[in-house]
Amino acid sequence: ITAWPRLAEAYLRAAIVETLAGEPERARRHFDQAVELGPSSPGARRMRAEFRLASGDLAGARADLERAIADAPHDGAALVV
């Protein structure tokens, strides 16, 4: 993140690491930053949706998935979450 502070992918990777490390609040912040930097990135929204779903935030997960599908209707990954 330090080297690429405007790269959504850097925040996605950090969010995955934080999730695996058992740091959900830090992971959430990184997912949010990734979506902010890449608002039309279906991958960022889909990954945040998966995190939200696992965290029990069903409304947030649904909103992210709906936006991911709207932005990339042919991206099958968002359809199977």
Side-chain angles (χ1 to χ4, degrees):
I1 293 175
T2 303
W4 303 98
R6 304 298 305 158
L7 183 64
E9 182 68 27
Y11 287 91
L12 285 176
R13 291 175 188 256
I16 292 166
V17 169
E18 296 296 350
T19 300
L20 295 173
E23 296 288 343
E25 185 55 32
R26 291 179 62 145
R28 183 196 59 76
R29 287 195 307 265
H30 285 127
F31 279 121
D32 290 347
Q33 187 67 29
V35 170
E36 183 178 318
L37 291 171
S40 62
S41 167
R45 289 199 181 273
R46 180 181 41 79
M47 291 176 72
R48 185 172 71 174
E50 291 174 5
F51 173 79
R52 286 176 160 181
L53 185 61
S55 300
D57 179 5
L58 302 182
R62 181 182 180 134
D64 277 339
L65 287 173
E66 287 175 350
R67 175 71 187 269
I69 292 166
D71 289 345
H74 301 292
D75 179 11
L79 298 173
V80 297
V81 173

